[in-house]
Amino acid sequence: MEAVRAENLYKTYGHGATEVKALLGVSMVAHAGEVVALLGPSGSGKSTLLTGLGLLNPPEKGTIDLMGERVLEDGKAFGDLAALRRSRIGFVFQKSNLIPFLSAHENVRLILALNDQLGAETYTRSQELLEYLGVGNRSQHFPEELSGGEQQRVAIARALAPAPPLILADEPTAALDSTRGRAVMELFRKVAREQGTAVVVVTHDHRTLDIFDTVYEMEDGVLSRAEQTA
Amino acid sequence: MKDLRRQKVSFAATALGLGLLFAIVLAMGGIYRGLVEDATLLVDHMGADIWVVQRDTRGPFAERSTVPPGLEDRLRAQKGIASARSFSTATIQRIVGTRSLRMTVVGLSWPEDKGQALPLVAGRALRDPHREVVVDRSLGLVLGQILSLGDESFKVVGLTKGMLSSGGDGLVFATELDARAILNWQAPEARRVEREGRLARLGGTDLDSVSNQDRLRDERFIPPTLAPAPANAILVSLRPGASIDEVLRGLEAWPDVTAYTAQEQRDLLLKGVVEKSRKQIGLFRALLSIVSGIVVTLILYNMTVAKTHDIALLKLLGARSSVVVKLVLNQGLLLGALGYSFAILLAKFLFPLFPRRVMLGTAEYLGVGLLVLLLVTLASVAGIVRALRIPPTLILAG
Ligand SMILES: Nc1ncnc2c1ncn2[C@@H]1O[C@H](COP(=O)(O)OP(=O)(O)OP(=O)(O)O)[C@@H](O)[C@H]1O
Ligand SMILES: [Mg+2]
């Protein structure tokens, strides 16, 4: 099952002298249960691709299909992108992922509330997810009371909460030391395997590439599949 | 969406500040109403149908008026008039003990009016036609206290509450005769000079005789050619069923007086005596409302700006625009509600200590409440516009 398929994406920032061509005909696929890595030097367009797939920053050309359904074609949206974001896509970023004045538990429940799930079962679901990611005992803590690794686990729990087919993560381990970073990457794999979610992760850390099923490399707006290192 | 837990203290402090501002807006409304109330209080209390004053004056409150003696009797003879009583009032300032006291003396027409209709909080109405007064408690006098006014001493027998003149001075009620004695009192030396003057004037007439001169030298003698101290107005009550227009038309022909209905008398006070203060307060209030509006808008806008990151995150996570709008609107409404509550608390505990009456009724509370609601809603719009413009990708740039 293809969770996400992107075909021939083009994205240009600015115009005239300041024009930057960030994506030049990028195509990629991520399947359900698959962990995909996006490698590449700074400024190569990784984040641009990820926010494109995340329907935050639609590329002006090309198509994006979510679960076999066309959601974007040449910059034109099919359906409500915000609604697709809150129900179909989980987001994890490098930092500032969580709402600072909500507890870990509330941060997870928030995304359920955004999806109009407000019942008592959201409490159990949030708690279960936090426990699943090993931060169950931290559920009442506020983000600033959590370590960087714990914050990312809470963020992953939140990304998982609406059971989306796709999770997008942009350098989620950049603020973590290598041990904790690796642990988080392994969590992504566990999530993909056990929940059947496709996970696309932008990373700079070559040491964790063995965790991924597929590795793409970005270079000046052009994406290519890299050799599997594992 | 969720709450403002983290900024609890600063939020409360902001609400308190706004509360103060709203309280002042509320106070302005109350002072405005208090002013109107005070101005018309006495007219309402005296309960006359018609006020007869000196010809072409707007007395006795807006300007000085004296009416000729015997006017009551002339009025009583009119058709449709049930009663006519003289009325005197003036504001005096005297030293009582060590304090300089401003008070407005009001004459009650003994024996019909002993002050029994006054809002007494202590003591009793007048019982003796002389040397007793009922005073407003705002003057700070106590029951049994002796007031020396002119040659006479007056005993405080009753205290009223909230009986003030249009200038905000406490009222002192005495019988009409006592009031006139107080208001027209002159020092012995002044009376001596006056007697000298009379003698001199007498010398120029054919009334001059040794016996007349002797009599004029006598302090107790009041020459019949000199009028007794005049009253300021005559209060007329109509017979049941009598037409006020008819009576007024009849009085129009009288060359020495002008008659006003009670409503006209109230209008004279509102349009004349307190007009400028009223306008000033009204203007100040409008200005204050505008200032509050600007302050609330700035506060809400800045609170929204401070939440830029959280709002961007919410949008990134796919929050509907309505969620973002509610977030900003709720914060505005909460701020307004808290501020307004503080304002009401302040009003309850602080306003009674104000030197002048602050009169707050449901209309004032409701009016300011609606104003606050309007202000925070309008102010929230600025925040909402800003919030909706925040790009969700902002999260990634940080
Ligand atoms: N909002 C923007 N406006 C203009 N140019 C942009 C914008 N965002 C990205 N760019 C440009 O697009 C190119 C690709 O940026 P992108 O952020 O996708 O790179 P990246 O691979 O994620 O880099 P990094 O590893 O540093 O995060 C860069 O040259 C960048 O300067
Ligand atoms: Mg990037």
Side-chain angles (χ1 to χ4, degrees):
Chain A
M1 180 77 192
E2 283 177 1
V4 64
R5 164 176 286 274
E7 294 276 7
N8 223 10
L9 299 181
Y10 283 85
K11 177 77 189 177
T12 311
Y13 290 112
H15 39 76
T18 59
E19 189 179 84
V20 178
K21 290 187 160 57
L23 297 180
L24 289 164
V26 169
S27 303
M28 68 163 288
V29 179
H31 294 89
E34 188 184 19
V35 261
V36 176
L38 268 181
L39 280 177
S42 190
S44 58
K46 304 181 297 294
S47 297
T48 304
L49 174 56
L50 210 69
T51 52
L53 295 176
L55 311 177
L56 285 164
N57 190 17
E60 58 266 13
K61 263 173 101 178
T63 59
I64 295 176
D65 299 336
L66 267 183
M67 300 301 287
E69 229 177 90
R70 180 64 42 96
V71 293
L72 259 175
E73 183 166 342
D74 296 341
K76 188 168 158 292
F78 293 82
D80 177 357
L81 294 188
L84 288 169
R85 282 207 299 278
R86 65 175 172 263
S87 59
R88 302 280 188 86
I89 307 172
F91 292 93
V92 181
F93 298 102
Q94 181 177 336
K95 57 184 166 78
S96 345
N97 259 312
L98 305 172
I99 304 258
F101 50 82
L102 297 181
S103 68
H105 188 261
E106 288 165 334
N107 262 289
V108 177
R109 215 147 52 75
L110 173 69
I111 188 80
L112 294 173
L114 291 183
N115 279 295
D116 300 321
Q117 297 175 29
L118 300 160
E121 72 279 1
T122 63
Y123 288 83
T124 22
R125 168 113 179 111
S126 306
Q127 188 59 34
E128 276 166 17
L129 281 169
L130 288 169
E131 267 155 28
Y132 179 59
L133 290 154
V135 282
N137 57 341
R138 289 276 183 268
S139 64
Q140 297 312 315
H141 290 245
F142 289 92
E144 60 182 17
E145 300 165 345
L146 300 173
S147 76
E150 287 167 342
Q151 285 183 26
Q152 290 307 61
R153 284 160 191 261
V154 174
I156 298 170
R158 182 187 62 197
L160 266 178
L166 175 65
I167 288 181
L168 301 172
D170 197 348
E171 304 189 35
T173 60
L176 306 178
D177 62 46
S178 58
T179 334
R180 280 171 223 275
R182 189 171 177 88
V184 167
M185 290 304 193
E186 277 168 351
L187 267 178
F188 278 123
R189 186 152 109 157
K190 174 176 154 175
V191 163
R193 294 288 185 272
E194 295 177 9
Q195 314 290 320
T197 312
V199 182
V200 180
V201 184
V202 171
T203 180
H204 279 131
D205 189 355
H206 288 262
R207 288 168 300 179
T208 57
L209 289 183
D210 56 300
I211 293 168
F212 294 90
D213 303 313
T214 314
V215 177
Y216 284 103
E217 261 195 83
M218 186 71 114
E219 183 86 55
D220 290 335
V222 179
L223 191 72
S224 57
R225 243 179 119 136
E227 283 303 304
Q228 203 64 15
T229 32
Chain B
M1 200 75 223
K2 284 282 154 55
D3 56 42
L4 308 128
R5 231 175 301 184
R6 202 172 46 164
Q7 315 99 306
K8 242 184 300 190
V9 177
S10 70
F11 191 76
T14 310
L16 187 69
L18 277 182
L20 274 169
L21 204 56
F22 295 154
I24 299 173
V25 178
L26 203 56
M28 282 297 138
I31 291 170
Y32 184 95
R33 258 207 57 196
L35 202 68
V36 170
E37 176 74 14
D38 284 350
T40 54
L41 186 97
L42 200 51
V43 175
D44 293 343
H45 178 76
M46 296 315 292
D49 296 316
I50 297 174
W51 290 68
V52 181
V53 302
Q54 182 180 342
R55 180 83 195 176
D56 289 341
T57 69
R58 276 145 186 62
F61 303 108
E63 64 172 308
R64 187 182 152 79
S65 148
T66 55
V67 291
L71 181 60
E72 302 105 287
D73 300 326
R74 283 160 60 201
L75 284 164
R76 279 190 204 111
Q78 282 295 106
K79 189 166 156 266
I81 290 180
S83 76
R85 48 208 158 101
S86 55
F87 174 82
S88 297
T89 185
T91 300
I92 58 176
Q93 181 159 353
R94 300 289 156 84
I95 306 289
V96 175
T98 54
R99 288 189 305 144
S100 169
L101 216 57
R102 259 184 91 76
M103 46 201 157
T104 300
V105 178
V106 174
L108 299 175
S109 44
W110 183 273
E112 310 92 67
D113 189 356
K114 299 185 172 78
Q116 59 272 32
L118 294 171
L120 288 174
V121 288
R124 53 170 175 84
L126 303 181
R127 201 176 281 159
D128 209 302
H130 283 297
R131 293 183 208 87
E132 285 190 349
V133 285
V134 171
V135 305
D136 191 71
R137 66 168 183 185
S138 66
L139 290 169
L141 303 172
V142 293
L143 282 182
Q145 191 168 346
I146 303 295
L147 267 181
S148 288
L149 299 170
D151 295 332
E152 309 267 20
S153 308
F154 298 86
K155 190 173 167 197
V156 176
V157 298
L159 294 178
T160 60
K161 185 188 164 191
M163 294 302 283
L164 304 176
S165 74
S166 60
D169 305 310
L171 296 184
V172 172
F173 296 93
T175 61
E176 173 63 14
L177 279 178
D178 276 356
R180 259 190 265 171
I182 294 168
L183 297 176
N184 296 295
W185 177 79
Q186 290 194 319
E189 176 60 12
R191 272 176 288 180
R192 197 190 60 73
V193 171
E194 172 61 20
R195 258 196 318 281
E196 294 293 324
R198 287 175 197 164
L199 275 175
R201 289 199 293 275
L202 194 64
T205 69
D206 52 7
L207 293 172
D208 195 13
S209 68
V210 174
S211 63
N212 268 349
Q213 285 180 11
D214 280 346
R215 282 206 273 173
L216 278 173
R217 273 191 198 97
D218 182 352
E219 244 184 72
R220 283 155 308 188
F221 174 73
I222 295 175
T225 49
L226 288 174
N232 297 130
I234 305 294
L235 309 187
V236 169
S237 299
L238 298 180
R239 279 185 206 289
S243 153
I244 189 160
D245 290 331
E246 231 166 78
V247 175
L248 284 173
R249 234 175 294 129
L251 293 179
E252 242 167 64
W254 294 22
D256 53 347
V257 295
T258 298
Y260 297 111
T261 63
Q263 186 53 46
E264 282 170 339
Q265 188 59 254
R266 299 177 86 230
D267 289 348
L268 286 181
L269 278 162
L270 293 182
K271 303 236 167 72
V273 180
V274 297
E275 169 90 335
K276 283 181 185 140
S277 325
R278 220 161 53 105
K279 273 193 181 152
Q280 183 132 335
I281 290 173
L283 209 69
F284 191 58
R285 193 176 168 206
L287 220 60
L288 210 60
S289 302
I290 295 171
V291 170
S292 309
I294 294 171
V295 169
V296 172
T297 308
L298 282 177
I299 288 174
L300 284 179
Y301 187 80
N302 283 329
M303 284 175 91
T304 308
V305 169
K307 286 206 184 63
T308 298
H309 172 269
D310 304 331
I311 291 171
L313 184 55
L314 280 174
K315 289 176 126 186
L316 182 146
L317 293 176
R320 291 184 185 86
S321 295
S322 63
V323 171
V324 176
V325 169
K326 263 188 231 156
L327 178 87
V328 179
L329 197 61
N330 281 351
Q331 114 189 327
L333 292 178
L334 190 66
L335 191 70
L338 263 178
Y340 184 56
S341 310
F342 276 131
I344 289 180
L345 273 182
L346 280 170
K348 286 264 185 292
F349 293 105
L350 210 62
F351 292 179
L353 309 177
F354 279 24
R356 285 211 60 167
R357 191 202 301 264
V358 183
M359 227 178 127
L360 292 174
T362 324
E364 277 71 31
Y365 282 119
L366 216 66
V368 174
L370 285 178
L371 178 77
V372 170
L373 188 68
L374 187 77
L375 287 185
V376 294
T377 310
L378 284 180
S380 297
V381 171
I384 287 168
V385 168
R386 157 83 199 201
L388 290 178
R389 282 202 185 136
I390 296 171
T393 44
L394 193 85
I395 282 291
L396 312 169

